[in-house]
Amino acid sequence: MADHDEDDLKMALRMSMQQHNHPEPKRSKSRDDSGGSGEVPEESPEMKNRRMQRELMASAAEKRMEAAKSAVPAMSAPKSAESVKEVKISGSGMEGKSKSVSMETCKEKNGNSGVELSTAEAHQLFSMIFGKEVSRNVLAQWCNQGIRFSPDSETSMGLVQHEGGPCGVLAAIQAFVFKYLLFCQEESGNVAPNVSTNLGVRVSNSESMGADIFSSLSEDHKSSALVRSMNEMLFLCGNNETAVIASMDVLDGHVEESMDGSKDEVIATILEGVSFESAFDLQKVLKVSTYTSKASALYKLKAMLPVFRSRLGALLFLISALLSRGLDNVQADRDDPSLPLVTAPFGHASQEIVNLLLSGSAVANVFDGKMDFGGGMFVKGISTTVEVGFLTLLESLNYCKVGQYLKCPRWPIWVVGSESHYTVLFALDTKVQDENQLESREAQIRRAFDVQDRSGGGGFISVEGFHQVLKETSIDLPSEKLEHLCSTGFIVWSEFWQVLLDLDESLGGLKDSTGLMGKKVFDLYHFNGIAKSVANGSQATSGHENPIQRPRLTKLRVSVPPKWTSEEFMANVSVPSGSSKNESDEKEKSVEVSKPDPAQRAPLVDCIRTRWPRATCSWEGDAPSIV
């Protein structure tokens, strides 16, 4: 049966190529326009060829579906020690392994369908994702979302989202894609030529932004970044030891054998009758392959790109990530394993899904480490540094606290969470996360001062303790300033701080010759990949059609006042009566530059402020949307 399937599909593909090279001529009349004679016109060769093509492709798809339902042993791929390791999916990902892998890549070139899930594994997986009761609407959202780049030229580097539920999966993948497109030249060799880690790109306006930054990216560059991103994420879930890739046995051989231009069409035709509405559906169709070689997994992912672009792509990647982690490990990561990972009733990706894809662990919380409640009760957060981070509107509403691991990732890229959606924020310059020299110096002096503070947080220390602070921090105060500060027998932080602001750096002070007083100004970019009808009566068009929300890339200018002094303190700094006019002018300049730029408000700004307190943002055009 398998041979007949493949023969039918190959014949259909050949006919498709012939049809492409010799398109059917236009007909002036339809069959119904036969002059009322009752005779049916003779079918043209071109029409006959097209009809036979459709019938052959449908026949091949139907035969494969029937074979999957009956679980014919002949349809299962041979289990070869040369291709993949068989693992116990419910465990850690390394249990029950067969003998060592060798020549994985060569074997994959010949096609390998992997192994089936057991009945118990399929039920555990489906229940873990969707729970015991899931609506058809939620299933439809997760079974109709591919991993595809936006067709719009301005946002062609971004993944487009059509369904509401899988945005957490898409945003996490998107964050890693930006990492490879913008920063990882040494790893991918496919960095946009105009993008550098030293802010080498200048964007003139929001309309040309996408073209200016990403116009040089070819489809191969984007595909390479996507494949490398998925590969890194799956191995991250597998403790950098293994990666599991989920596919479907109804696609065996077709992805590799079909022509490049027809892969998406062929796969879409085959998947027309495939649905994941129960654990039984997963078991009868799903096949999984486990890799210990990143090169082999990368090759498999590249071959499977048309599958991930299909309507089941996002769900297949989530399944791959869960199996890479190991189902038992996923449940052990979570605070409440009884809840589904896809939240009811709207089918949104949970925080566990996002954390799994960003950190490799399906924990429910975003703080650092563990929170101990005593009596052996604790909840788990992020336990390690991450490549790309996470910010959330919920922190600005005091519902949670994002830890430093997620706020300060290795690369300046963050998934941004709102109450119902996930988007991505990124910078072109890695220095946006650097602590400036004034901030570092202030932190050092303040720590030394606090060690000597015996007032219970009152902000003053003894003269003896003050001399210890000066020694530890290498501050050389002029004798008149030293005597003035010590004249009362104790030193108050606010008075000491004013002296430091007037003291030259050569003497250990914080006098800033630039006049910026540690202020930061930089650019961030926000990408929202949603593309859907906007169900809002106030925005409805005159034709009663809802307008379409398209993927959007927005540039924001961010201004951050120095964190080491409040705006109110700077505004109230008094100029001593004996100060010169130049000193007074410098004070006024310092006060002026500490004032924030005219602010524009949007929920995204509240998210940015959780990372850079008191930041102000400005942009051109409509406010960036995180919903």
Side-chain angles (χ1 to χ4, degrees):
M1 181 181 296
D3 294 338
H4 290 303
D5 289 351
E6 295 174 2
D7 291 342
D8 289 348
L9 190 61
K10 289 178 181 178
M11 184 180 296
L13 292 172
R14 287 196 296 270
M15 295 175 68
S16 175
M17 295 301 296
Q18 293 170 1
Q19 185 67 33
H20 177 74
N21 296 328
H22 304 284
E24 177 186 5
K26 294 184 178 179
R27 296 172 56 89
S28 60
K29 291 185 179 181
S30 66
R31 292 187 179 185
D32 294 336
D33 298 333
S34 56
S37 64
E39 299 180 0
V40 178
E42 183 178 355
E43 187 176 31
S44 68
E46 292 82 6
M47 183 63 73
K48 182 177 181 181
N49 187 33
R50 179 174 291 184
R51 177 176 56 78
M52 291 179 64
Q53 172 197 348
R54 288 197 300 265
E55 291 176 355
L56 285 170
M57 293 182 70
S59 174
E62 181 178 359
K63 290 176 181 179
R64 285 200 167 274
M65 289 298 299
E66 291 298 325
K69 292 179 180 179
S70 58
V72 178
M75 291 293 292
S76 299
K79 300 175 182 178
S80 171
E82 290 185 343
S83 59
V84 294
K85 289 184 180 180
E86 298 178 25
V87 301
K88 181 181 178 183
I89 299 300
S90 60
S92 64
M94 291 296 291
E95 299 166 352
K97 59 185 178 181
S98 63
K99 63 180 181 178
S100 299
V101 177
S102 62
M103 300 179 65
E104 286 179 336
T105 302
C106 295
K107 189 64 180 179
E108 279 301 325
K109 290 181 180 179
N110 297 324
N112 187 290
S113 60
V115 297
E116 296 178 355
L117 293 178
S118 69
T119 301
E121 290 166 346
H123 278 83
Q124 184 182 8
L125 178 61
F126 189 86
S127 177
M128 180 185 297
I129 298 175
F130 296 113
K132 296 181 179 179
E133 296 182 3
V134 57
S135 68
R136 288 187 173 274
N137 182 52
V138 169
L139 285 172
Q141 290 177 1
W142 283 86
C143 292
N144 288 285
Q145 179 61 65
I147 304 174
R148 290 176 172 268
F149 285 103
S150 168
D152 295 340
S153 59
E154 296 85 358
T155 56
S156 61
M157 76 300 151
L159 302 176
V160 62
Q161 178 192 345
H162 297 287
E163 300 293 338
C167 58
V169 174
L170 292 181
I173 299 174
Q174 180 71 74
F176 277 88
V177 168
F178 281 145
K179 167 191 166 179
Y180 280 96
L181 290 179
L182 296 174
F183 301 114
C184 295
Q185 183 175 13
E186 71 279 3
E187 296 178 39
S188 68
N190 291 326
V191 174
N194 294 329
V195 177
S196 75
T197 58
N198 294 317
L199 203 59
V201 174
R202 291 292 183 265
V203 180
S204 57
N205 58 70
S206 59
E207 294 299 323
S208 62
M209 180 189 327
D212 285 351
I213 300 178
F214 298 105
S215 60
S216 60
L217 294 175
S218 67
E219 291 300 319
D220 287 342
H221 286 178
K222 293 187 295 183
S223 295
S224 175
L226 176 58
V227 168
R228 290 176 179 273
S229 297
M230 294 193 294
N231 199 40
E232 178 179 357
M233 296 168 77
L234 293 181
F235 271 97
L236 178 64
C237 295
N239 293 320
N240 286 317
E241 296 175 346
T242 60
V244 177
I245 301 175
S247 185
M248 293 167 284
D249 65 350
V250 295
L251 299 175
D252 285 354
H254 293 327
V255 176
E256 289 80 5
E257 292 173 4
S258 59
M259 300 293 182
D260 289 342
S262 62
K263 285 181 180 179
D264 289 3
E265 180 181 350
V266 170
I267 290 173
T269 301
I270 294 174
L271 295 183
E272 284 180 358
V274 176
S275 63
F276 290 158
E277 298 183 1
S278 67
F280 175 72
D281 291 333
L282 290 183
Q283 185 186 17
K284 73 179 182 181
V285 175
L286 210 63
K287 289 292 184 69
V288 296
S289 302
T290 303
Y291 298 85
T292 57
S293 164
K294 292 185 178 181
S296 298
L298 191 70
Y299 178 87
K300 177 66 173 180
L301 289 169
K302 183 177 180 180
M304 281 188 59
L305 268 183
V307 180
F308 287 115
R309 287 196 295 261
S310 77
R311 63 180 180 85
L312 293 172
L315 181 57
L316 282 175
F317 185 77
L318 173 60
I319 290 173
S320 299
L322 293 172
L323 297 180
S324 295
R325 177 62 176 159
L327 301 187
D328 289 346
N329 286 340
V330 171
Q331 295 296 71
D333 290 337
R334 308 174 66 198
D335 291 339
D336 189 350
S338 65
L339 297 176
L341 291 170
V342 172
T343 61
F346 302 112
H348 297 141
S350 64
Q351 190 65 49
E352 289 102 322
I353 290 177
V354 176
N355 285 348
L356 172 66
L357 299 179
L358 297 184
S359 72
S361 181
V363 295
N365 306 290
V366 291
F367 51 74
D368 292 341
K370 298 179 180 180
M371 186 175 294
D372 193 346
F373 291 99
M377 297 290 293
F378 61 88
V379 292
K380 290 171 284 187
I382 305 299
S383 60
T384 184
T385 55
V386 294
E387 293 290 297
V388 298
F390 179 76
L391 303 174
T392 176
L393 183 64
L394 298 180
E395 181 174 8
S396 69
L397 301 174
N398 294 319
Y399 286 118
C400 66
K401 178 67 175 177
V402 179
Q404 292 302 300
Y405 286 141
L406 290 175
K407 278 186 179 174
C408 304
R410 180 183 179 192
W411 304 104
I413 307 169
W414 297 265
V415 172
V416 176
S418 67
E419 300 96 328
S420 60
H421 189 44
Y422 294 98
T423 54
V424 182
L425 183 74
F426 64 97
L428 306 181
D429 187 359
T430 58
K431 294 180 181 178
V432 301
Q433 297 206 94
D434 292 350
E435 194 175 54
N436 65 40
Q437 185 176 357
L438 289 175
E439 291 172 339
S440 300
R441 180 61 172 159
E442 182 275 336
Q444 177 193 16
I445 297 173
R446 186 68 204 229
R447 281 194 298 267
F449 188 94
D450 289 343
V451 168
Q452 302 298 328
D453 189 348
R454 303 291 189 265
S455 65
F460 59 89
I461 60 177
S462 66
V463 172
E464 183 181 358
F466 182 56
H467 282 285
Q468 182 65 28
V469 170
L470 297 179
K471 179 180 179 181
E472 291 180 1
T473 56
S474 302
I475 296 174
D476 185 11
L477 283 179
S479 57
E480 66 275 11
K481 292 184 181 291
L482 180 61
E483 291 175 3
H484 173 72
L485 286 173
C486 297
S487 61
T488 59
F490 58 87
I491 291 81
V492 180
W493 170 258
S494 59
E495 294 180 357
F496 179 37
W497 188 243
Q498 291 188 43
V499 171
L500 288 174
L501 292 177
D502 288 330
L503 188 66
D504 288 337
E505 290 185 29
S506 61
L507 299 176
L510 293 168
K511 188 173 183 178
D512 184 11
S513 59
T514 66
L516 291 177
M517 300 300 293
K519 181 179 180 180
K520 294 181 180 179
V521 179
F522 53 88
D523 293 331
L524 294 177
Y525 296 84
H526 178 255
F527 177 73
N528 186 348
I530 195 72
K532 64 179 180 180
S533 296
V534 181
N536 187 329
S538 63
Q539 299 181 10
T541 62
S542 57
H544 303 290
E545 295 180 356
N546 290 326
I548 299 297
Q549 180 177 342
R550 299 169 63 185
R552 185 183 174 201
L553 181 66
T554 305
K555 176 185 176 182
L556 302 96
R557 172 54 60 93
V558 182
S559 177
V560 184
K563 72 177 183 179
W564 42 266
T565 183
S566 67
E567 297 149 341
E568 294 79 10
F569 176 79
M570 287 301 301
N572 293 325
V573 170
S574 59
V575 181
S577 58
S579 300
S580 66
K581 184 178 184 302
N582 289 337
E583 290 176 332
S584 177
D585 290 341
E586 289 184 7
K587 290 285 188 181
E588 291 177 1
K589 186 178 181 181
S590 299
V591 172
E592 180 65 26
V593 298
S594 70
K595 294 179 181 178
D597 295 333
Q600 291 177 270
R601 294 306 305 272
L604 177 60
V605 177
D606 294 330
C607 296
I608 292 173
R609 285 185 168 185
T610 65
R611 174 61 180 83
W612 292 279
R614 303 194 316 279
T616 59
C617 302
S618 59
W619 56 85
E620 295 182 12
D622 296 335
S625 173
I626 59 175
V627 297

